[in-house]
Amino acid sequence: MEEQNVKLFTREELQCRNSREDCILVIHNGVYDVTKFLEEHPGGLEVLMELAGRDATEPFEDVSHSSDARALMKKYKIGELVEADRTQSKAAFSPQWSNDQPQEQGNSWSSWAIPLLLGVAATVLYRYLFL
Ligand code: HEM
């Protein structure tokens, strides 16, 4: 039920909200009014103003903000993007290295085959030299 009360915005209507008096950011399809936060942002006012009215998801993630910062964001959320303007960024949430894991499993034979071969080689060498 509450979901229906979320205010929806289009990217187009947000574009002009890029001044110090009215500054919004789009992060992960959420719309944030950071006008009152500009002066308080530990990373400075300039970085936020540069992205004002636009999608700031990538720069926001590039800085790898703390969980405290992510919790703070909620305070400034005013709504979300309309369905048509959303980016399908679900995949961006899952760490990229997770794709590597199945490959590692495929190579797992090397974790026992190499020590085994070394063991055989050492035994043969030992017999040659000392027996
Ligand atoms: C609502 C949105 C945002 C909130 C609530 C927020 C909050 C914070 C907080 C609390 C910090 C202190 C460090 C930490 O706890 O991670 C920080 C640092 C910083 N933020 Fe943001 N931030 C927001 C958006 C952005 C965006 C869009 C950028 C764009 C590049 C940005 C760039 C930075 C930078 C450069 C730092 C400084 C990192 C440092 O000096 O170590 N922030 N932010």
Side-chain angles (χ1 to χ4, degrees):
M1 286 297 263
E2 267 178 50
E3 285 289 307
Q4 286 171 353
N5 295 329
V6 172
K7 194 162 172 10
L8 297 175
F9 298 87
T10 62
R11 286 186 191 271
E12 201 185 346
E13 72 179 295
L14 294 172
Q15 268 172 23
C16 57
R17 299 182 63 176
N18 57 6
S19 67
R20 283 189 69 158
E21 289 72 41
D22 185 18
C23 179
I24 68 93
L25 295 174
V26 176
I27 300 170
H28 291 304
N29 298 321
V31 180
Y32 299 85
D33 184 339
V34 290
T35 316
K36 294 199 174 73
F37 181 61
L38 289 173
E39 305 283 349
E40 293 166 35
H41 183 224
L45 172 149
E46 290 81 12
V47 282
L48 299 187
M49 283 304 295
E50 259 170 45
L51 295 155
R54 294 193 287 135
D55 199 308
T57 309
E58 256 188 61
F60 179 82
E61 290 302 339
D62 284 350
V63 174
S64 37
H65 281 87
S66 67
S67 50
D68 279 355
R70 283 160 206 272
L72 188 64
M73 274 171 85
K74 292 191 189 131
K75 202 173 136 188
Y76 300 99
K77 190 164 181 181
I78 56 165
E80 286 179 7
L81 289 180
V82 293
E83 196 61 40
D85 281 0
R86 296 169 81 88
T87 46
Q88 299 308 313
S89 56
K90 286 236 165 63
F93 280 111
S94 64
Q96 285 169 354
W97 41 259
S98 70
N99 292 341
D100 295 338
Q101 274 172 351
Q103 281 173 19
E104 258 176 53
Q105 274 171 8
N107 288 336
S108 67
W109 62 268
S110 59
S111 62
W112 56 263
I114 292 173
L116 184 75
L117 282 171
L118 283 174
V120 171
T123 311
V124 170
L125 201 65
Y126 179 79
R127 285 181 67 105
Y128 253 106
L129 293 176
F130 302 110
L131 298 177

Short mmCIF file of all heavy atoms in Angstrom, two decimals, residues 27-28 32 34 37 60-61 64-77:
data_model
loop_
_atom_site.label_atom_id
_atom_site.label_comp_id
_atom_site.label_asym_id
_atom_site.label_seq_id
_atom_site.Cartn_x
_atom_site.Cartn_y
_atom_site.Cartn_z
N ILE A 27 19.95 8.57 -7.58
CA ILE A 27 20.90 7.51 -7.21
C ILE A 27 20.12 6.20 -7.10
O ILE A 27 19.17 6.11 -6.32
CB ILE A 27 21.63 7.83 -5.89
CG1 ILE A 27 22.42 9.14 -6.02
CG2 ILE A 27 22.57 6.69 -5.49
CD1 ILE A 27 22.97 9.68 -4.72
N HIS A 28 20.53 5.20 -7.91
CA HIS A 28 19.83 3.90 -7.95
C HIS A 28 18.33 4.07 -8.11
O HIS A 28 17.55 3.50 -7.33
CB HIS A 28 20.15 3.08 -6.70
CG HIS A 28 21.57 2.62 -6.65
ND1 HIS A 28 22.15 1.88 -7.64
CD2 HIS A 28 22.54 2.82 -5.73
CE1 HIS A 28 23.40 1.62 -7.34
NE2 HIS A 28 23.67 2.19 -6.19
N TYR A 32 16.67 12.19 -4.76
CA TYR A 32 17.08 12.78 -3.49
C TYR A 32 17.16 14.29 -3.58
O TYR A 32 17.80 14.82 -4.49
CB TYR A 32 18.45 12.21 -3.08
CG TYR A 32 18.40 10.72 -2.89
CD1 TYR A 32 18.56 9.85 -3.97
CD2 TYR A 32 18.14 10.18 -1.63
CE1 TYR A 32 18.47 8.47 -3.81
CE2 TYR A 32 18.05 8.81 -1.44
CZ TYR A 32 18.22 7.97 -2.54
OH TYR A 32 18.12 6.61 -2.38
N VAL A 34 18.89 17.14 -2.12
CA VAL A 34 20.05 17.37 -1.27
C VAL A 34 20.31 18.85 -1.03
O VAL A 34 21.39 19.23 -0.57
CB VAL A 34 21.32 16.69 -1.86
CG1 VAL A 34 21.22 15.19 -1.76
CG2 VAL A 34 21.57 17.11 -3.30
N PHE A 37 21.46 19.55 2.24
CA PHE A 37 22.62 18.73 2.60
C PHE A 37 23.91 19.27 1.97
O PHE A 37 25.01 18.92 2.39
CB PHE A 37 22.35 17.29 2.15
CG PHE A 37 23.43 16.30 2.46
CD1 PHE A 37 23.81 16.04 3.77
CD2 PHE A 37 24.07 15.61 1.43
CE1 PHE A 37 24.80 15.11 4.05
CE2 PHE A 37 25.06 14.69 1.70
CZ PHE A 37 25.43 14.44 3.01
N PHE A 60 28.59 8.22 -7.19
CA PHE A 60 28.29 7.90 -5.79
C PHE A 60 28.94 6.58 -5.41
O PHE A 60 29.56 6.45 -4.35
CB PHE A 60 26.78 7.84 -5.58
CG PHE A 60 26.38 7.48 -4.17
CD1 PHE A 60 26.34 8.45 -3.17
CD2 PHE A 60 26.05 6.17 -3.84
CE1 PHE A 60 25.99 8.12 -1.86
CE2 PHE A 60 25.71 5.84 -2.53
CZ PHE A 60 25.67 6.81 -1.54
N GLU A 61 28.82 5.58 -6.29
CA GLU A 61 29.40 4.26 -6.00
C GLU A 61 30.92 4.28 -6.12
O GLU A 61 31.60 3.57 -5.40
CB GLU A 61 28.80 3.19 -6.93
CG GLU A 61 27.34 2.86 -6.63
CD GLU A 61 27.10 2.37 -5.19
OE1 GLU A 61 28.04 1.90 -4.54
OE2 GLU A 61 25.95 2.47 -4.74
N SER A 64 32.69 4.82 -3.06
CA SER A 64 32.36 3.78 -2.06
C SER A 64 32.01 4.38 -0.71
O SER A 64 32.75 4.29 0.25
CB SER A 64 33.44 2.70 -1.92
OG SER A 64 34.72 3.19 -2.04
N HIS A 65 30.85 5.01 -0.69
CA HIS A 65 30.34 5.62 0.53
C HIS A 65 30.10 4.58 1.62
O HIS A 65 29.76 3.44 1.33
CB HIS A 65 29.02 6.34 0.22
CG HIS A 65 29.20 7.68 -0.42
ND1 HIS A 65 29.32 7.84 -1.78
CD2 HIS A 65 29.28 8.92 0.11
CE1 HIS A 65 29.47 9.12 -2.05
NE2 HIS A 65 29.45 9.80 -0.92
N SER A 66 30.25 5.01 2.86
CA SER A 66 30.06 4.11 4.01
C SER A 66 28.58 3.77 4.18
O SER A 66 27.71 4.39 3.58
CB SER A 66 30.55 4.80 5.27
OG SER A 66 29.71 5.91 5.55
N SER A 67 28.31 2.79 5.06
CA SER A 67 26.91 2.44 5.34
C SER A 67 26.23 3.61 6.07
O SER A 67 25.03 3.79 5.95
CB SER A 67 26.82 1.15 6.14
OG SER A 67 27.67 1.21 7.24
N ASP A 68 27.01 4.38 6.80
CA ASP A 68 26.45 5.58 7.46
C ASP A 68 25.92 6.55 6.41
O ASP A 68 24.84 7.11 6.55
CB ASP A 68 27.53 6.30 8.28
CG ASP A 68 27.74 5.64 9.63
OD1 ASP A 68 26.99 4.70 9.94
OD2 ASP A 68 28.66 6.07 10.35
N ALA A 69 26.71 6.74 5.35
CA ALA A 69 26.30 7.65 4.28
C ALA A 69 25.02 7.15 3.61
O ALA A 69 24.12 7.93 3.31
CB ALA A 69 27.43 7.79 3.25
N ARG A 70 24.95 5.83 3.41
CA ARG A 70 23.77 5.24 2.78
C ARG A 70 22.53 5.39 3.67
O ARG A 70 21.43 5.57 3.19
CB ARG A 70 24.01 3.76 2.46
CG ARG A 70 24.88 3.61 1.23
CD ARG A 70 25.54 2.26 1.14
NE ARG A 70 26.76 2.37 0.37
CZ ARG A 70 26.82 2.24 -0.94
NH1 ARG A 70 25.75 2.00 -1.63
NH2 ARG A 70 27.97 2.38 -1.57
N ALA A 71 22.74 5.29 4.98
CA ALA A 71 21.61 5.47 5.89
C ALA A 71 21.16 6.94 5.87
O ALA A 71 19.97 7.24 5.90
CB ALA A 71 22.02 5.07 7.30
N LEU A 72 22.13 7.83 5.78
CA LEU A 72 21.84 9.27 5.76
C LEU A 72 21.03 9.67 4.52
O LEU A 72 20.15 10.54 4.57
CB LEU A 72 23.17 10.03 5.78
CG LEU A 72 23.14 11.54 5.95
CD1 LEU A 72 22.56 11.89 7.32
CD2 LEU A 72 24.54 12.11 5.81
N MET A 73 21.33 9.00 3.41
CA MET A 73 20.63 9.28 2.15
C MET A 73 19.12 9.24 2.31
O MET A 73 18.40 10.04 1.73
CB MET A 73 20.96 8.19 1.12
CG MET A 73 22.18 8.39 0.32
SD MET A 73 22.45 6.87 -0.58
CE MET A 73 21.40 7.17 -2.00
N LYS A 74 18.66 8.24 3.07
CA LYS A 74 17.22 8.01 3.21
C LYS A 74 16.49 9.27 3.67
O LYS A 74 15.34 9.51 3.30
CB LYS A 74 16.96 6.88 4.21
CG LYS A 74 17.42 5.54 3.70
CD LYS A 74 16.92 4.41 4.59
CE LYS A 74 17.58 3.10 4.19
NZ LYS A 74 18.14 2.37 5.31
N LYS A 75 17.19 10.05 4.48
CA LYS A 75 16.61 11.29 5.02
C LYS A 75 16.24 12.26 3.90
O LYS A 75 15.36 13.09 4.05
CB LYS A 75 17.68 11.91 5.93
CG LYS A 75 17.15 12.85 6.97
CD LYS A 75 18.29 13.25 7.90
CE LYS A 75 18.25 14.74 8.15
NZ LYS A 75 19.44 15.20 8.89
N TYR A 76 16.96 12.16 2.78
CA TYR A 76 16.77 13.14 1.71
C TYR A 76 15.95 12.60 0.53
O TYR A 76 15.76 13.29 -0.46
CB TYR A 76 18.14 13.65 1.24
CG TYR A 76 18.89 14.31 2.36
CD1 TYR A 76 19.87 13.63 3.07
CD2 TYR A 76 18.56 15.60 2.75
CE1 TYR A 76 20.53 14.22 4.14
CE2 TYR A 76 19.21 16.20 3.82
CZ TYR A 76 20.18 15.51 4.51
OH TYR A 76 20.81 16.09 5.57
N LYS A 77 15.49 11.37 0.66
CA LYS A 77 14.75 10.77 -0.45
C LYS A 77 13.36 11.41 -0.57
O LYS A 77 12.64 11.54 0.42
CB LYS A 77 14.61 9.26 -0.24
CG LYS A 77 14.07 8.55 -1.46
CD LYS A 77 14.29 7.06 -1.38
CE LYS A 77 13.74 6.42 -2.67
NZ LYS A 77 13.89 4.99 -2.68
#
